[in-house]
Amino acid sequence: MKAGIVGLPNVGKSTLFNCLSNAKAQSANFPFCTIEPNVGVVNVPDSRLEKLEELVTPERVLPATVEIVDIAGLVKGASKGEGLGNQFLGNIRECNAIIHVLRCFDNDNIVHVDGNVNPIRDKETIDIELQLKDLETVEKRLDKVKRAAKTGNKEAQAEEALLIRLRDVLLEGKSARVVAPQNQDEEELLEAFQLITTKPVLYVCNVDEEAAATGNDYVEKVRELVKDENAEVIVLAVGTEADITELETYEERQMFLEDLGIEEAGASTLIRSAYKLLDLQTYFTAGEKEVRAWTIKVGDTAPQAAGVIHTDFEKGFIRAEVIAYDDYESFGSEAKVKEAGKLRVEGKEYIVKDGDVMHFRFNV
């Protein structure tokens, strides 16, 4: 999974990236500080993995990961190449999800490109630029398809109908994600178009320390605005989170969070929210050599889950031996789970559940 952090210049994108990643992006109080996208790989926090490590004592532990891309700030006119527009839009097209950072705090010492703080206006600025770029893509594609549709080509006619729906929605100032595919063919076409505004969005309201636990009026306005978007909204005091990551010990970090009235670090909240946004879940493999978390889509079958490890596992899938995580934790070992009759043998139709501990049998 790759998620791109976007937003206007100076809203806290690079600071957030630094909180999430061991890589240290340059952070400064002027626009276009980030030019080349910074990329970091972030572990997905999961207490179940820690428990499995404790029970199995493997040689190594590998968590699930998310790739985070810090993309240059966007300005009005980006769809026409203003600022770093074309480069920005090319970077974001490659991501699976968008983490949209909105400035929801007042601070006279940090400049705002539009002169004052207004997250609603900021959101609309970026939305418009992304919609305009998608409109350009749709209209170019529509010009090509129309000729084939006129000859009576059924596939071209179906594509033309979908493109017209997309064009009409974008012209209304809405994002392409509101166009629901009516069948499998449309779903595949939408994916092939790679439209930016079909990507799921996680809004990060960047607040000051005082609003870290409760949010503020800016946050409430954002929540009201996006309530029909099927998007996630989280509140983070990004500057404060950056201070917390500089503390040396886990105990110090936890004390800082407790003082703020927050249960866990914002990085953990954000990554979990991004996971949920993309309809992802985790299953585990556990053995003496390795305990590992694997990322799959909700609804994936056992062979599809096996294919994440290696394509041969999916091609030659015979069966899966499955232990529910709760059973593994409760009985304390694979041997005791077997003794209790809680290990299940599942076939090709099995839908993997979040937290399943699995072992695959295959033959190629």
Side-chain angles (χ1 to χ4, degrees), residues 118-183:
N118 184 337
I120 305 304
R121 177 202 58 214
D122 294 354
K123 175 189 177 304
E124 288 173 351
T125 296
I126 286 197
D127 283 351
I128 288 167
E129 295 307 323
L130 299 184
Q131 289 160 8
L132 286 172
K133 197 65 180 176
D134 276 351
L135 182 60
E136 180 185 307
T137 301
V138 166
E139 288 181 334
K140 281 181 181 176
R141 183 73 189 170
L142 195 52
D143 285 342
K144 290 180 181 177
V145 169
K146 275 181 177 177
R147 290 191 287 273
K150 282 178 181 176
T151 67
N153 183 305
K154 297 291 185 187
E155 289 181 2
Q157 288 173 345
E159 184 174 341
E160 180 186 34
L162 175 59
L163 287 165
I164 288 170
R165 279 163 47 216
L166 287 165
R167 182 195 63 191
D168 292 347
V169 161
L170 291 164
L171 285 170
E172 288 173 12
K174 297 176 184 175
S175 293
R177 68 180 64 89
V178 306
V179 177
Q182 295 178 350
N183 51 51

Side-chain angles (χ1 to χ4, degrees), residues 291-329:
V291 167
R292 183 163 181 170
W294 301 89
T295 301
I296 58 171
K297 297 283 282 185
V298 173
D300 275 358
T301 62
Q304 288 172 321
V308 173
I309 299 176
H310 198 286
T311 53
D312 284 350
F313 281 32
E314 183 172 3
K315 289 175 187 172
F317 180 89
I318 299 171
R319 66 180 183 274
E321 296 172 0
V322 183
I323 303 171
Y325 170 78
D326 288 345
D327 287 337
Y328 208 116
E329 183 184 28

Side-chain angles (χ1 to χ4, degrees), residues 188-209:
E188 289 173 5
L189 279 170
L190 274 172
E191 193 171 327
F193 294 157
Q194 282 196 304
L195 298 178
I196 299 169
T197 64
T198 57
K199 298 180 188 297
V201 181
L202 169 64
Y203 293 101
V204 176
C205 294
N206 183 11
V207 300
D208 54 24
E209 189 172 309

Side-chain angles (χ1 to χ4, degrees), residues 268-315:
S268 299
T269 305
L270 189 150
I271 295 303
R272 262 197 286 276
S273 296
Y275 228 55
K276 178 183 173 185
L277 186 71
L278 284 171
D279 213 21
L280 299 175
Q281 64 181 5
T282 301
Y283 80 87
F284 303 99
T285 51
E288 290 181 4
K289 286 193 175 296
E290 179 182 280
V291 167
R292 183 163 181 170
W294 301 89
T295 301
I296 58 171
K297 297 283 282 185
V298 173
D300 275 358
T301 62
Q304 288 172 321
V308 173
I309 299 176
H310 198 286
T311 53
D312 284 350
F313 281 32
E314 183 172 3
K315 289 175 187 172

Side-chain angles (χ1 to χ4, degrees), residues 13-30:
K13 299 184 308 303
S14 294
T15 306
L16 175 61
F17 176 82
N18 290 341
C19 292
L20 294 171
S21 170
N22 290 328
K24 291 292 181 183
Q26 184 189 10
S27 178
N29 185 22
F30 57 89

